[in-house]
Amino acid sequence: MKPILYFVIPCYNEEEVLPVTAPMFRETLCGMIKDDMISEKSRIMFVNDGSRDKTWEIIDRLSKEDEYFEGISLSRNRGHQNALLGGLMYAKERADITISIDCDGQDDINASREMVEKYLEGCDIVYGVRNSRKSDSFFKRTTARGFYKLLKGMGVETVYDHADYRLMSKRALEALSEYKEVNIFLRGMVPLVGFKSTSVYYDRTPRLAGESHYPLKKMLALAFDGITSLSTKPIKIVTGLGFFVTFISFIGIIWSVVQYFLDSAIAGWASTVSIVCFLGGIQLLSIGIIGSYIGKIYLETKARPRYIIAEATEQEEKK
Ligand code: UDP
Ligand code: MG
C-alpha cells in the first residue's frame, strides 16, 4: 500500500505568495504520485491562520478547482505553531505521513521527495535542515544562530538550523498528540517524541513574495517561549545567582565589620548605592523569570483549546 501524504501549510496573510507557491507544491506532489511513491489520495492542505486578507478565498478557490488542494480555517489568528499543530492533527486522521512546510517557498519543496524516500526506508521523522543561510541577511543569520545556541545552552534539545519543515509519520503524530501542553514549541517537542529520525539537507532561498511575520521582537518571544516551555534551567540559574550573591554579600558583611573594628571605615556612598541598585535589578529579573513560569502554569491549568477549526473546504463531492 502506498502511503497517503499530506502537505500541511500554515498561511497567515499570504495572498501574494500563495498563487506563486501553490502550483509548486502541486507539481512536487503529482511528481511523487506519478513515480508511485505515494497514494493518489495525497493532498496539499493549507491552514488559514485567521488571515485578514484574501488568503482563505484563494484556498477555497484552489480546492474547488483542483482535487489535490484542501484547506481548513482557524477561528482566529493563533500563531504559526498553533496553526501548524491544528493542521497536523487534522491531517493525521486522513494521512499516513505529513510534511509541514511554510507557504512562502523559502524551504526547498523538492527536498520533500528525499524526505518521503527516507520514510519509505523506515524513518518516522525526517527533519529538513538548512545547508546554508546565504540568502538570509547578516542580521537574521546571526540572530537565528544565536537562537539555536541559546536554546541548547538552556537545555532545550533542538535540531540545529531546522525550522518547521519536517516529515512525520502517523505514529509520530499520534505520539505528539499525547503532548497536551498549551505552550507549544514544536521544534523542541518533536525530538522528545523519539522514533527513528534523520535529516535531509536543502538550501533556503529568500521569500518569493510578501513579508516575513517574524521580526526580531517575535523571534525573541519565540526563543523565550521555547526555553520556558521546555526547560527549567533559567530557574536553576536564578537560584545559583541568588546563592552566589548571598555568599559575596556575606563576605562583604564580615569585611565591613572587620573594617569597623580596625577603625578605617570609608565613606562610600556611590559604591553602596550602585550595589543596592545592582541587587535590585537582579531581583527584579529573577522574579520576572520565575513569574513567567507561573504564568505558564496558569495557562496550562486552564487547558484551553490550542486552536479552533472554523471551516474546512468541502471534499466529499470530489470523491
Ligand atoms: N504564519 C502563521 N501564523 C502567524 C504567522 C505566520 O500561520 O501568525 C505562517 C506564515 O504564513 C508562513 C509561516 O508561518 O507560512 C512562516 O512565517 P514567515 O515566513 O513569516 O516567517 P520566517 O520564514 O520569516 O521566519
Ligand atoms: Mg518564511
Side-chain angles (χ1 to χ4, degrees), residues 72-86:
I72 57 170
S73 187
L74 301 191
S75 59
R76 52 159 295 166
N77 180 248
R78 291 292 287 121
H80 180 205
Q81 297 290 303
N82 290 286
L84 187 53
L85 185 76

Side-chain angles (χ1 to χ4, degrees), residues 83-152:
L84 187 53
L85 185 76
L88 289 174
M89 291 303 126
Y90 190 85
K92 162 170 86 74
E93 309 302 326
R94 293 155 180 80
D96 300 309
I97 32 177
T98 59
I99 293 181
S100 48
I101 184 168
D102 291 352
C103 73
D104 54 11
Q106 281 195 282
D107 303 312
D108 181 12
I109 299 163
N110 296 316
S112 54
R113 203 184 168 89
E114 208 183 316
M115 289 183 176
V116 174
E117 278 163 11
K118 296 277 189 225
Y119 167 80
L120 295 172
E121 284 164 18
C123 291
D124 278 278
I125 300 173
V126 187
Y127 300 102
V129 177
R130 286 164 210 178
N131 251 335
S132 73
R133 281 186 171 268
K134 276 195 280 279
S135 66
D136 285 342
S137 67
F138 174 75
F139 182 71
K140 177 105 190 177
R141 200 160 55 222
T142 15
T143 48
R145 288 256 149 91
F147 171 65
Y148 290 103
K149 291 229 171 76
L150 182 69
L151 285 177
K152 184 140 189 261

Side-chain angles (χ1 to χ4, degrees), residues 56-306:
W56 180 240
E57 278 89 329
I58 297 173
I59 296 171
D60 201 38
R61 205 190 58 229
L62 283 169
S63 79
K64 290 202 172 88
E65 288 169 358
D66 190 323
E67 57 174 346
Y68 290 115
F69 292 111
E70 266 182 35
I72 57 170
S73 187
L74 301 191
S75 59
R76 52 159 295 166
N77 180 248
R78 291 292 287 121
H80 180 205
Q81 297 290 303
N82 290 286
L84 187 53
L85 185 76
L88 289 174
M89 291 303 126
Y90 190 85
K92 162 170 86 74
E93 309 302 326
R94 293 155 180 80
D96 300 309
I97 32 177
T98 59
I99 293 181
S100 48
I101 184 168
D102 291 352
C103 73
D104 54 11
Q106 281 195 282
D107 303 312
D108 181 12
I109 299 163
N110 296 316
S112 54
R113 203 184 168 89
E114 208 183 316
M115 289 183 176
V116 174
E117 278 163 11
K118 296 277 189 225
Y119 167 80
L120 295 172
E121 284 164 18
C123 291
D124 278 278
I125 300 173
V126 187
Y127 300 102
V129 177
R130 286 164 210 178
N131 251 335
S132 73
R133 281 186 171 268
K134 276 195 280 279
S135 66
D136 285 342
S137 67
F138 174 75
F139 182 71
K140 177 105 190 177
R141 200 160 55 222
T142 15
T143 48
R145 288 256 149 91
F147 171 65
Y148 290 103
K149 291 229 171 76
L150 182 69
L151 285 177
K152 184 140 189 261
M154 289 294 162
V156 180
E157 192 193 330
T158 49
V159 179
Y160 195 69
D161 264 355
H162 156 73
D164 284 300
Y165 184 18
R166 75 176 83 79
L167 175 145
M168 287 183 82
S169 69
K170 198 187 188 88
R171 173 160 93 128
L173 287 169
E174 235 126 54
L176 183 70
S177 71
E178 297 292 321
Y179 289 69
K180 305 283 185 206
E181 61 233 63
V182 294
N183 294 288
I184 48 173
F185 182 64
L186 289 168
R187 258 171 260 183
M189 284 159 69
V190 175
L192 294 177
V193 167
F195 292 121
K196 192 168 178 221
S197 55
T198 187
S199 299
V200 155
Y201 297 86
Y202 68 95
D203 288 322
R204 189 161 152 107
T205 47
R207 229 173 196 279
L208 294 178
E211 268 168 27
S212 168
H213 301 100
Y214 275 97
L216 182 66
K217 198 170 141 224
K218 261 202 180 173
M219 282 237 305
L220 287 176
L222 184 71
F224 193 72
D225 251 15
I227 294 165
T228 50
S229 295
L230 290 151
S231 154
T232 48
K233 203 160 174 180
I235 292 190
K236 291 197 188 107
I237 293 177
V238 165
T239 316
L241 197 66
F243 269 120
F244 178 71
V245 172
T246 315
F247 180 69
I248 297 289
S249 320
F250 187 66
I251 292 179
I253 291 168
I254 294 174
W255 182 73
S256 34
V257 170
V258 171
Q259 288 292 311
Y260 177 77
F261 282 114
L262 292 180
D263 225 9
S264 60
I266 19 156
W269 187 84
S271 54
T272 314
V273 168
S274 54
I275 287 170
V276 169
C277 288
F278 175 68
L279 286 184
I282 289 185
Q283 279 175 351
L284 283 179
L285 178 75
S286 309
I287 293 172
I289 293 177
I290 293 162
S292 66
Y293 278 95
I294 295 176
K296 288 213 161 165
I297 297 169
Y298 175 62
L299 290 175
E300 295 293 348
T301 53
K302 287 209 237 200
R304 286 182 173 168
R306 297 178 282 189

